[in-house]
Amino acid sequence: MATTDIAPPRDFVREIVAEDCKSGKYGGRVHTRFPPEPNGYLHIGHSKSIWLNFGVAQEFGGLCNLRFDDTNPAKEEVEYVESIKEDVRWLGFDWDDRLYYASDYFERLYDFAVQLIKKGKAYVCDLSPEQMREYRGTLTEPGKESPWRNRSVEENLDLFARMRQGEFEEGSRTLRAKIDMASPYISMRDPVIYRILKTAHHRTGEQWCIYPMYDFTHCLSDSIEGITHSICTLEFENNHPLYDWFLDQLEVFHPLQIEFARLELTHTVLSKRKLIQLVRDGIVSGWDDPRMPTISGLRRRGYTPESIRAFNERNGVAKTNSMVDIGLLEHAIREDLNKRAPRAMVVLRPLRVVIDNYPEGLVEEMDAINNPEDPAAGTRKVPFSKVLYIEQEDFREDPPKDFYRLAPGREVRLRYAYFVRCESVVKDDRGQVVELHCTYDPATRGGDAPDGRKVKSTLHWVSAQHAVPVTARLYELLFTKENMNDMEDGHTWTDYLNPNSLEVLTGCQAEPMIAGAKPGERFQFERMGYFCVDKDSQPGALVFNRTVTLRDPYAKIEKARKASS
Ligand code: ATP
Ligand code: MG
């Protein structure tokens, strides 16, 4: 047996970090950061970055900062800042006192820009945005140098100071890094590092009318905070040389940028621009609509932080982009809730059942198991009486061959109660079945027949006289198309919105225990799925969101995988 039981790093990011710790690079220190731009709510993709950045820091005895990358005053709002803080905390991570804003560094960033000018590495450019695009070149053609590229240091210093003073119009001038207009990396073709924007900022107010660009701000913020490993998504690979260039030119502390593949999910859009559009156009009820892939939407839907962390853990970290089946996210929440959600009997689409031979006025308290996965959850009493509700779909007047539930003349078990046999049906004028008449067998109390006769199914039920009416919201996928990155010709992403993504059922009937449920509480409604109490609930008028159905196509796959490993 080996004497050490240290597991090998689980992914290439952890491999790099472990190697750096071993070699003593950065003095063995590990310091990461999660750097959201406060221009929208966090989504499931961000949870991957949060889990990775905070997780790596935790595992290597390091620290992780929360830093708002707030360099674009036009799109950012305090509401987003607050929601992001709430969501990171809810996911189970803590930045302690290390909450930072790139905007706190504006003065230092300005000084860094002045340093670049003094070194002859930055210049004020008068090209218009359109001209600049023209001069930039393409992937196959080099760009052209700006006619303003060779201004003297003195002139650049003067013009940059006057940009800051507000002397020039928006779009009339920029400060650009002087690198290489022929670089194969377009990001290296004299990128803009400051632009004029006469817009107030949510933190610095009217103090600035020039704002630093993302690439310049990001690497220097990392450097200022002493970040050792700057983990970001693959699309920043092209900006990696620029990240290094700024730090090298300014001769400051140099973190290592590491790129990983972003999370993408089937049937889901994660672009903030699109999520904003869903909210603004009223296609969903808000950022926390339970159909949204946002953290706040998933929370309201009934997802737990544990399930989201487990989902990320299972997916791991890769170097190439791929798409994850949304079924795996659902699998993660089922696994978690199966272990801890108390069970309840709730009939979503009620059908009245009268037990003709059951004594009028009698109420029996049946013992029900709160959670078969957790004996400590104990049992509860569920009242049984002469008039009950069962699920409409559990009865067929004319049952097909493979339908084993209730039908005329057929006997089934009512969970925790008795066998009942359907004797006759009552219909309305349109021929719809509105009531069943059944008989029960008193000898089957508890669920078994002393004579050994079997039934093929067990139904959930609710005593009508004790029932608590509730509303249930059932969800389907928000988009019908599996790969939302790949639109068919002539189609746009909104064409694939699922018109059936929300179904609201009023008049569902729940067992009495449910009456005391509080917003955020989660249950398994037996046979119907996992449900979570919504914040729209009022006393006496509870609203439940279905988190997920019980059927799990991944349980089998998972079992097979475990068996073979
Ligand atoms: P936008 O959609 O506006 O371009 P963004 O989703 O990249 O932005 P940021 O606020 O910049 O939003 O993201 C914060 C961090 O989360 C970044 O480090 C980013 O790389 C990471 N991130 C964003 N989306 C994903 C994703 N789908 N998977 C993994 N990480 C992500
Ligand atoms: Mg981004």
Side-chain angles (χ1 to χ4, degrees):
M1 280 260 341
T3 48
T4 62
D5 57 354
I6 297 169
R10 286 172 288 153
D11 54 65
F12 80 95
V13 172
R14 288 169 167 93
E15 250 164 49
I16 295 171
V17 175
E19 196 50 50
D20 289 348
C21 284
K22 213 166 100 190
S23 73
K25 192 176 170 190
Y26 305 118
R29 226 163 38 79
V30 174
H31 201 148
T32 57
R33 83 287 169 268
F34 172 63
E37 184 180 350
N39 61 350
Y41 279 59
L42 295 183
H43 55 59
I44 184 74
H46 293 115
S47 84
K48 182 179 183 107
S49 176
I50 294 167
W51 162 82
L52 182 58
N53 277 292
F54 281 93
V56 162
Q58 256 168 24
E59 287 158 42
F60 289 88
L63 300 170
C64 181
N65 297 353
L66 174 61
R67 182 203 314 141
F68 288 102
D69 232 319
D70 55 348
T71 51
N72 184 358
K75 288 192 189 162
E76 295 164 6
E77 290 172 27
V78 177
E79 178 195 347
Y80 298 141
V81 169
E82 292 310 316
S83 76
I84 290 170
K85 289 199 268 185
E86 182 185 355
D87 290 348
V88 174
R89 258 192 229 108
W90 179 79
L91 283 169
F93 299 103
D94 191 354
W95 55 88
D96 297 315
D97 55 353
R98 295 177 313 281
L99 172 63
Y100 301 112
Y101 294 85
S103 55
D104 291 340
Y105 309 138
F106 280 174
E107 197 63 52
R108 291 170 81 174
L109 293 169
Y110 181 85
D111 292 340
F112 281 129
V114 168
Q115 272 186 52
L116 284 180
I117 295 174
K118 287 183 177 162
K119 280 189 79 171
K121 297 293 179 183
Y123 63 96
V124 173
C125 180
D126 299 359
L127 292 182
S128 68
E130 298 76 52
Q131 288 172 315
M132 211 171 317
R133 225 167 290 136
E134 239 171 77
Y135 276 63
R136 190 183 302 141
T138 63
L139 283 172
T140 48
E141 283 166 64
K144 263 192 315 189
E145 295 191 351
S146 161
W148 312 101
R149 199 172 196 259
N150 295 312
R151 276 176 161 152
S152 68
V153 169
E154 291 66 36
E155 190 183 3
N156 281 320
L157 287 173
D158 173 62
L159 286 173
F160 188 48
R162 287 162 59 195
M163 276 170 66
R164 179 179 182 169
Q165 296 315 314
E167 239 181 78
F168 311 121
E169 290 311 304
E170 273 187 25
S172 64
R173 292 201 152 105
T174 55
L175 183 72
R176 297 176 68 180
K178 192 169 176 176
I179 311 179
D180 177 8
M181 288 308 292
S183 170
Y185 292 97
I186 292 185
S187 65
M188 296 291 271
R189 296 183 186 170
D190 291 11
V192 171
I193 56 183
Y194 266 90
R195 60 199 163 148
I196 301 170
L197 267 183
K198 300 196 168 169
T199 307
H201 185 278
H202 69 111
R203 283 179 64 83
T204 57
E206 308 264 337
Q207 207 184 322
W208 294 90
C209 61
I210 55 172
Y211 289 94
M213 300 299 285
Y214 174 85
D215 284 316
F216 181 68
T217 309
H218 194 83
C219 59
L220 289 165
S221 303
D222 282 347
S223 177
I224 290 169
E225 293 174 17
I227 300 304
T228 56
H229 299 85
S230 178
I231 304 169
C232 63
T233 39
L234 278 187
E235 67 276 18
F236 289 100
E237 248 175 346
N238 289 327
N239 304 48
H240 196 141
L242 182 57
Y243 185 100
D244 291 340
W245 187 89
F246 285 126
L247 299 174
D248 289 342
Q249 293 302 321
L250 292 163
E251 298 173 63
V252 291
F253 176 75
H254 198 140
L256 173 68
Q257 175 171 305
I258 307 172
E259 303 90 7
F260 73 98
R262 60 173 45 234
L263 173 74
E264 300 204 68
L265 268 184
T266 58
H267 298 282
T268 305
V269 300
L270 291 178
S271 133
K272 279 191 218 162
R273 184 181 58 79
K274 291 176 184 165
L275 296 179
I276 286 172
Q277 193 178 327
L278 291 173
V279 174
R280 298 242 164 105
D281 293 354
I283 294 166
V284 295
S285 66
W287 285 99
D288 66 351
D289 186 300
R291 291 167 294 178
M292 289 284 271
T294 50
I295 302 301
S296 49
L298 291 167
R299 175 166 62 233
R300 192 169 171 192
R301 177 86 171 245
Y303 275 77
T304 60
E306 290 83 356
S307 67
I308 294 175
R309 293 201 302 264
F311 169 70
N312 284 308
E313 194 71 49
R314 187 167 334 214
N315 290 333
V317 185
K319 193 76 197 171
T320 46
N321 282 320
S322 67
M323 195 167 278
V324 174
D325 189 328
I326 195 165
L328 282 171
L329 183 61
E330 298 181 342
H331 174 68
I333 187 62
R334 280 191 193 99
E335 273 208 326
D336 190 23
L337 292 181
N338 182 42
K339 282 181 276 165
R340 51 172 152 163
R343 275 47 171 177
M345 292 203 284
V346 180
V347 173
L348 296 183
R349 298 175 181 87
L351 174 61
R352 231 173 101 92
V353 173
V354 181
I355 315 283
D356 290 327
N357 61 339
Y358 195 82
E360 197 81 48
L362 178 65
V363 177
E364 289 179 275
E365 297 286 338
M366 302 305 191
D367 286 310
I369 294 167
N370 285 334
N371 186 349
E373 301 289 319
D374 176 14
T379 61
R380 67 185 185 284
K381 301 284 186 195
V382 184
F384 185 91
S385 65
K386 189 178 177 74
V387 182
L388 310 169
Y389 294 117
I390 65 165
E391 224 44 82
Q392 285 169 21
E393 66 184 22
D394 283 338
F395 173 79
R396 289 285 190 90
E397 194 178 11
D398 211 357
K401 241 204 170 81
D402 54 356
F403 185 87
Y404 298 119
R405 291 168 269 172
L406 200 57
R410 195 183 281 178
E411 194 171 44
V412 297
R413 177 188 295 111
L414 295 181
R415 189 144 164 86
Y416 303 125
Y418 298 102
F419 285 11
V420 295
R421 176 187 309 279
C422 178
E423 307 294 352
S424 63
V425 306
V426 179
K427 295 184 182 176
D428 64 11
D429 348 325
R430 288 174 308 147
Q432 295 284 337
V433 175
V434 291
E435 187 177 286
L436 305 182
H437 283 263
C438 295
T439 51
Y440 85 118
D441 176 355
T444 58
R445 180 167 177 165
D448 287 304
D451 62 8
R453 77 183 189 279
K454 297 283 179 230
V455 290
K456 282 200 170 137
S457 66
T458 302
L459 310 185
H460 64 282
W461 51 272
V462 171
S463 161
Q465 143 195 14
H466 304 91
V468 178
V470 302
T471 296
R473 296 173 180 155
L474 310 185
Y475 301 103
E476 281 183 18
L477 297 167
L478 188 51
F479 294 98
T480 53
K481 194 167 191 335
E482 187 171 304
N483 182 351
M484 286 298 292
N485 291 334
D486 172 31
M487 301 291 102
E488 290 148 306
D489 276 351
H491 285 274
T492 165
W493 64 282
T494 47
D495 295 344
Y496 301 99
L497 278 162
N498 177 2
N500 304 317
S501 60
L502 170 63
E503 182 183 6
V504 181
L505 299 178
T506 54
C508 309
Q509 303 288 349
E511 66 168 278
M513 172 272 287
I514 283 294
K518 300 278 175 300
E521 256 186 86
R522 307 177 182 93
F523 297 89
Q524 184 196 100
F525 290 178
E526 296 212 14
R527 303 174 63 230
M528 306 315 282
Y530 293 100
F531 286 77
C532 177
V533 184
D534 192 76
K535 63 178 184 184
D536 289 344
S537 296
Q538 299 291 327
L542 292 174
V543 179
F544 286 86
N545 300 329
R546 178 151 72 186
T547 311
V548 68
T549 57
L550 297 184
R551 188 176 28 81
D552 189 352
Y554 277 87
K556 268 193 207 147
I557 299 172
E558 194 59 12
K559 218 169 158 185
R561 206 175 60 112
K562 275 194 190 131
S564 71
S565 72

